[in-house]
Every structure is written in C-alpha cells, then in structure tokens.
Amino acid sequence: MRELTWWQRGVIYQIYPRSFQDSNGDGIGDLRGIAERLEYVSALGADAVWISPIFPSPMADFGYDVADYCGIDPLFGSLSEFEQLVIHAHHLGLKVLLDFVPNHSSNRHPWFEESRSSRDNAKRDWYLWHDPAPDGGPPNNWLSRMGGSAWEWDEHTEQYYYHAFLREQPDLNWRNHEVRRAMDGVLRFWLDRGVDGFRVDVLWLLIKDAQFRDNPLNPCYRAGEPEHHRLLQTYTEDQPEVHEIVRAMRATLDIYGDRVLIGEIYLPVSQLIKYYGAAGDGADMPFNFQLINARWNAAVIAGMIRDYDGALPEHAWPNWVLGNHDNPRIASRVGAIQARVAAVLLLTLRGTPTIYYGDEIGMTDGTIGPDEIRDPAELRQPGAGQGRDPERTPMQWDDSLPNAGFTSGKPWLPVASRSSVREQEGDTSSMLSLYRRLLILRRCHAALVQGTIENVAAHGDVLTYERHYRERSLFVALNFGGEASAFESRPATVLLSTAMGRDGGPLTHGTNALAAGEALVASM
Ligand code: NOJ
C-alpha cells in the first residue's frame, strides 16, 4: 500500500474564528486568540486546523463575503499575525487550512465595484450580469439560497446580477478566464505563505448554465422547507464544466507539494465522487456530509458506510464530517449520550475525520433570543430552520463568568452552556477525555487509519464493523438505542468503551452485551 500522506493519516479541527477565542475584549474571536489555543488543539490530538474565513469582509455573511482575497480583516488581526500563526502551528505539528471562497465575492470587493460601474467596464464579465426578462422582471426563476430571487436589479446599469446567497455576495463568472487567473493568484498568495491547503466554499456551485435556463419545479417540495427547495437546482449546481476548474486548482496545489484540497459539496454520493477527478486529479477530499443529515439509526448508517466505501474509486480517500458552522450540533441532533457514540463512529470509520470546534466537549446548540439573532440566513427567512447562530456560539473554555473564558467583553453570540474544557479536563468520564482517548487510539493503531473497513452490519440498534491492517484487526460496536443490546463478536479485548470500567475487559466468542448508548473498540 502507498504511504499515506498527512491529511490521510490526520484529523482536521474546524475553527470558526469569531467564536474560538477573543484576545482583545471586543467579543469576537481573533487570530491571537486562536494562537493562544493552538496548544490545546495539538494536545487534543488533531493534526490540522481549518479556519473559516478571516479575510477583509463587510461581514454580511460573517466572512463568506470577501472584499479582499489576499488580506486579513482587522477584526481578526493582521497578515503578519497570520504568518506568525502559521509558524506557531507548524512548530506544534499542526497544518493550517484556509477557507477559500471563490464562488462569490462581497459586493464591496473592488472587482464588483468596477464590474457594476458600467456595462463596458473591463470587469463587467467577471460577474453574472443579465438583461431583464421581457416583462422587466428577473431573467429567470433562479432562487437565492438565502431566500427570494437570486437576481438583484442594478439601477445604474439597468441589468440584473446573480447571487446564489445574499445580494451582498454576487457570484463570480467562472467561465471568464481572467477570473480563473485572478483566483489562481489567490491560491498561490496563501500557498506562498505556508498554508497547507484549502477548504473550498460551495465548490459544486461555481459554474451555472451558460443559457440561464429556468430550474424545474421540485415535485417533492414540502411546505416549510427553505424557499429555494421549490426548484431543482438543475442549472445552478454541479455543472459538468466545474471539474476542469477543480483540476486547475489541484494542479496549482501540486506545484507546492503535499497540500490538501477539500471541497464543500452537498451532493449525493454518486455525484460527489466525481469531484475526486476521473484520474484522481480533482479534490483530495470532497467533504462527505452524510452523517450530518443521517437518520440516527444503526441500519441506515451501516448502509451509508457500505455504499460510500463501495462507491469510492480506487484512488479516492474517504472522509467523514459530523458537524460544522452551518448545521445543528451533533449533541443537539442526537443527544448527549449518542454524541459519544457519534464520536467513536467518526474516529473509527475509514477516512479523515473533521471535528467541529466544541463538539469534543459535547457543546450543544445555544439558545438565541429574538434580539440576539445575527445570522443573515435567519434574519431573511425567520423560522425556516435556516438559522446558524445556535451552532456558532463561543467556545466554552472554563467556568469563568459570564463568558466561559472566551472573551472579557460582550460575546457576539451568547455562551450556550457552562460545561467547559477546564471542567472536563480532569474528568476521565468526560466527552473531552473520550475524544482524547480516541485520538490516541488512532495514533496507536494503524488499522484505524490505514485499515480496510469490513463486515459492516446492523442488528437491531447495534452497528458493528471491523478494521483490518496487516495482521491487526479491530472491532467496533455501537449501540444507537436507549436500551442494552446484544451483539455477536469473536474473542477480543476492549481497548476503549464509553461505559466505565470496561476497558481491558474481554469480549467472548458469541453473544456479548452493550449498555444503552455504549460504543466500544476492541482488539481481535
Ligand atoms: C457555505 C458556508 O459554509 C456558509 O456558511 C456560507 O453562508 C455559504 N457557503 C456562502 O458562502
């Protein structure tokens, strides 16, 4: 087998910079704050940090509206502080991944300001401008993912521009080769500063239908779903030409050696795997978000693991994600006990895991009062279930009041609960201890990192699978139910269990029992 590279062996830790650690009391996390906490991330056992956008931005979508791709927003710090952060991280053995947001810029980016200045401006074609429909309305039926039409009327030049998200986030025209060159320059700018790779925002949306055809109605739309679900995204996502763009990004990263390209892509597996590139010349890891939307059920997840593993091309490396800044937290989705099962699952499946900051202490979604809502998605479509503030609340470092060690000022979002790193550190039964033990287990057992995954099976509420590498085999059993359940095993020794007092104990040949919500890893 080929030697694995760092991002195949490693574990990624996502930092939402606004919420990780504030160093200057303005209530918003920053680079110095992140730097102060890198030792924590390294001691946890992660190998890389992915930092959500830190570039200059009017913050209409909290940094996913970039006004300068080659700078750092003063809210977060400076370019030299970022460079220091990279050095510090590398010193600790941590890689640093940035969030590359190529689909759209801010409407305040100089490129867009030029583009909108006149119809014959040299950058007009850098964005998606279109004449109105014959009735004067938007050119077609495309809908914004943040609600309403995706077309915004520009009074000055009397055309519409397209925005898949907020009107403050105009989509760039990736059919334009100058845009491609400019964005390639952005990748090189950060690679030259030692960045180890990128998570690419909405990679599957980059190219839109050249003919701007109407999207078909979605026959499965149910009332209460977000508005854009009314339409199938036939002409606004996953267009075939996107793959040549991914290949070009990959080629640029390859010039710099072993850098990682991760794509944010919400697509069914059959479409997702195409982003690896037909010859392995695409993204290293199209994010696999299946666990985020999965029904929490042993049979469902067994099927998902088998199908994903079976669908991956030979050259493709798997990955699994439990949570991120756009989705309710795992501990709120499945509850505190099952969140432990989820941790064992995430860290024993085949492929690179991504941990969302705070999930390692079982952080739950915060309660956001009506006056505290900050997320534009919630402000634009109140009550549509799109609000992302609850999963973005400040990291809970200690028991200091009122802000859990996150800030000395007023935090931009309220702290969700009191459970903290400090409290959990000394407690061997805590979620933090479980994560640390699991991450040590991964380092000690090549089977968890390099091994095949086999015999994936569900019996009632129990999911079992095996990991094999050379002569070593590990066995994993997870109880997705609220009652004790039996499972079949070969003789094995428990290496780790979420139930107290079981480590080091035996599994006998034949029938064994798992406590309610217990998960274990055993050596066969
Ligand atoms: C995906 C990001 O994760 C999300 O937070 C953002 O709102 C959209 N892309 C638009 O950039």
Side-chain angles (χ1 to χ4, degrees), residues 35 38-39 49 51 79-96 190 192-196:
L38 281 184
E39 279 175 33
V49 288
I51 309 176
L79 191 55
S80 78
E81 277 171 342
F82 176 73
E83 288 168 343
Q84 289 304 314
L85 180 85
V86 172
I87 293 169
H88 182 35
H90 286 171
H91 185 68
L92 292 169
L94 289 169
K95 305 282 186 182
V96 178
W190 292 111
D192 285 338
R193 276 155 189 80
V195 162
D196 301 289

Side-chain angles (χ1 to χ4, degrees), residues 61 64 101 104 146 165 169 199 201-202 264 325-326 388 392:
D61 190 19
Y64 284 98
V101 191
H104 44 268
M146 299 277 194
F165 294 90
Q169 294 167 296
R199 171 267 193 192
D201 193 60
V202 295
E264 186 208 19
H325 61 294
D326 294 328
R388 302 167 297 179
R392 296 176 175 181

Side-chain angles (χ1 to χ4, degrees), residues 188-507:
R188 288 167 192 260
F189 177 88
W190 292 111
L191 290 166
D192 285 338
R193 276 155 189 80
V195 162
D196 301 289
F198 301 92
R199 171 267 193 192
V200 187
D201 193 60
V202 295
L203 184 56
W204 85 116
L205 303 187
L206 290 191
I207 290 273
K208 292 78 176 162
D209 181 44
Q211 298 169 52
F212 296 92
R213 282 169 282 188
D214 273 349
N215 274 329
L217 288 179
N218 173 6
C220 302
Y221 178 79
R222 284 194 307 266
E225 282 184 53
E227 198 186 349
H228 72 279
H229 288 188
R230 287 179 189 281
L231 304 177
L232 300 175
Q233 301 296 317
T234 312
Y235 296 115
T236 39
E237 64 177 39
D238 196 30
Q239 303 297 296
E241 300 94 324
V242 73
H243 296 290
E244 78 189 64
I245 297 171
V246 183
R247 275 199 300 278
M249 291 179 185
R250 151 95 281 128
T252 296
L253 265 67
D254 282 345
I255 298 170
Y256 288 80
D258 208 3
R259 314 290 168 109
V260 70
L261 185 66
I262 302 173
E264 186 208 19
I265 302 161
Y266 286 88
L267 282 175
V269 169
S270 59
Q271 288 158 273
L272 182 73
I273 57 174
K274 297 196 180 130
Y275 287 76
Y276 284 106
D281 50 357
D284 295 306
M285 293 192 283
F287 259 151
N288 167 18
F289 293 126
Q290 293 180 87
L291 288 175
I292 288 186
N293 297 316
R295 208 148 50 80
W296 204 246
N297 166 291
V300 169
I301 292 183
M304 176 184 292
I305 298 168
R306 280 192 301 257
D307 292 350
Y308 181 60
D309 210 57
L312 287 176
E314 241 230 282
H315 54 75
W317 183 255
N319 75 89
W320 294 91
V321 181
L322 263 188
N324 58 31
H325 61 294
D326 294 328
N327 290 283
R329 282 189 180 271
I330 182 69
S332 291
R333 301 202 306 269
V334 302
I337 294 173
Q338 285 297 321
R340 288 166 172 262
V341 174
V344 179
L345 177 72
L346 175 72
L347 295 173
T348 59
L349 284 173
R350 189 172 89 85
T352 302
T354 298
I355 299 171
Y356 184 48
Y357 85 93
D359 279 356
E360 78 278 17
I361 57 166
M363 270 175 66
T364 49
D365 289 343
T367 307
I368 310 295
D371 302 337
E372 295 169 323
I373 299 170
R374 307 294 297 271
D375 180 15
E378 178 67 18
L379 292 168
R380 288 199 53 168
Q381 299 187 80
Q386 297 278 283
R388 302 167 297 179
D389 292 326
E391 60 264 22
R392 296 176 175 181
T393 59
M395 180 68 180
Q396 297 152 205
W397 293 107
D398 57 41
D399 50 10
S400 62
L401 290 172
N403 297 317
F406 164 69
T407 181
S408 57
K410 182 174 175 340
W412 75 287
L413 285 174
V415 172
S417 88
R418 298 247 63 86
S419 180
S420 69
V421 171
R422 167 114 22 106
E423 173 206 333
Q424 294 192 21
E425 242 159 9
D427 175 0
T428 52
S429 68
S430 70
M431 183 67 139
L432 182 58
S433 296
L434 174 64
Y435 263 88
R436 285 185 175 160
R437 285 161 60 215
L438 282 163
L439 287 160
I440 290 170
L441 209 61
R442 283 180 68 88
R443 283 191 201 278
C444 298
H445 294 272
L448 286 178
V449 176
Q450 320 215 26
T452 55
I453 186 162
E454 289 170 33
N455 295 328
V456 181
H459 296 285
D461 281 333
V462 177
L463 167 65
T464 54
Y465 48 88
E466 296 167 12
R467 303 291 314 274
H468 297 278
Y469 181 66
R470 298 196 169 139
E471 270 70 60
R472 292 302 304 273
S473 297
L474 297 185
F475 173 76
V476 180
L478 310 155
N479 186 354
F480 283 70
E483 282 167 29
S485 284
F487 66 98
E488 298 298 311
S489 170
R490 289 194 271 148
T493 305
V494 176
L495 299 173
L496 174 150
S497 164
T498 56
M500 291 310 282
R502 192 161 189 178
D503 294 5
L507 296 182

